[in-house]
Amino acid sequence: MTNNGGAVNPFETAQRQVDICAKYLKLDAGVTEILKHPKRELTVNFPVRMDNGSYRVFTGYRVQYNMARGPCKGGIRYHPQVTLDEVRALAAWMTWKCAVVSLPYGGAKGGVICDPKSMSRNELERMTRRFASEIAPIIGPEIDVPAPDVYTDSQTMAWIMDTYSMQKGYSVPGVVTGKPLSIGGSEGRGEATGRGCMYVIREAAKDLNIKMKGASFAVQGFGNAGSVAASLVSRELGGKIIAVSDSKGAILKKDGMDVAAVEKFKQEKGSVVGFPGSQKISNQELLALDCDVLIPAALENQITKENAKDVKAKIVAEAANGPTTPEADEVLYANKTTVLPDVLANAGGVTVSYFEWVQDLQGYFWDVNDVNSRLERVMSGSYRGVADVAKKHGVNNRTAAYIVAVGRVVEAMRVRGIYP
Ligand code: GLU
């Protein structure tokens, strides 16, 4: 997926979103200013020995945005286009996301500028371990708990957990979430982002009187979030997946595709493009498809002021972080498109991360039905809360989610007071 983030700075977007909700919450200018800045930022430049014996210096970031409500939480992404401002934005969004679903966490994010697709497994392991030791002074179960994000996975988390544990001299499973089950991971974490998204779509569809059985879905991005969301909406809601995409391109199959077969095809061929019976379309065509639900599940800044008017979906469910710019939000709202904002629609991942952390701290593990039914309660309850605020204030769901989330963070800041 091309990240046309060059045009729109995601951190400026994140700051504007705070300004928009500050009006409704009648926030003091000083408080608004605090909310528009990250608390702590760490930049690390570190060497990694590559397979050919040479050394390369990588740059990585960990931004802790706000910890008024608890330890910081948020993923680490590996991508060539990572920037400090992108990580700041993602850390802000994690803060609001944790608050909107009422987790006792603040928000953080990390990123390393690299091209993981061109690196070997050994290079990735060495890079991950060195990055983990560079950020070790500011992470830990009580301060900041990383997790997977774009192009990182449970193996990445296992390396971080091991590196941190080696430094401490004992195993610390609660330092990261999204780990493999064998070292304290949680049942259901792998599919949690997609599953949470599916629950929120289902609740919104009830409100909008859209029947999910036979409804058409287009999914941009076929990674951690998008592939699971596609599979679950088709298996559990009876939806028809008419289009999917990945970084190599998009495909359309109007009568619907067998998601498991697409997953298998991508595993074998490295892309969804070329899936038998499908037609290749462009990324822009995918976003403009006539469908019931569009799920952007790739990177930031995909729905912009240029293409928002072309979106025909009745529901846009943001499995990705930051896929819609503020100008695009206005166009979608004016066109009566229901946007399920990222901080709500993809909060299933961090919700089950929270469950994982709780299980690690207690050393007591739950079965998958427990995890999923608790996730369902959190997601449908949070959707209801946001939809009710949207109605009450006559605002779109994003502003409503910010009113809920920022309101909770501000209340925590208020009772704690500003130190000293
Ligand atoms: N990276 C995921 C997100 O953006 C999950 C974060 C977490 O589980 O801490 O929500």
Side-chain angles (χ1 to χ4, degrees), residues 73-76 94 97 109 145-150 177 189 193 321 346-347 349-351 353:
K73 190 82 193 77
I76 292 175
M94 283 310 306
K97 189 185 303 186
K109 202 81 176 199
V145 185
D149 196 73
V150 173
T177 58
R189 176 61 184 88
T193 308
N321 290 310
N346 71 37
V350 72
T351 299
S353 274

Side-chain angles (χ1 to χ4, degrees), residues 347-358:
V350 72
T351 299
V352 177
S353 274
Y354 167 62
F355 296 161
E356 178 173 334
W357 178 78
V358 167

Side-chain angles (χ1 to χ4, degrees), residues 231-245:
S231 154
L232 288 176
V233 293
S234 79
R235 274 192 288 137
E236 299 203 6
L237 303 182
K240 194 167 72 175
I241 308 299
I242 62 163
V244 298
S245 74

Side-chain angles (χ1 to χ4, degrees), residues 42 56 96 360:
L42 177 62
R56 258 183 65 192
W96 319 135
D360 288 338

Side-chain angles (χ1 to χ4, degrees), residues 21 47 133-134 144 147 164-165 173 193 204 227 277 290-291 302 373:
C21 87
S133 69
E134 296 288 341
D144 180 2
Y164 187 84
S165 299
T193 308
S227 67
D290 193 357
C291 59
Q302 300 300 309
S373 60

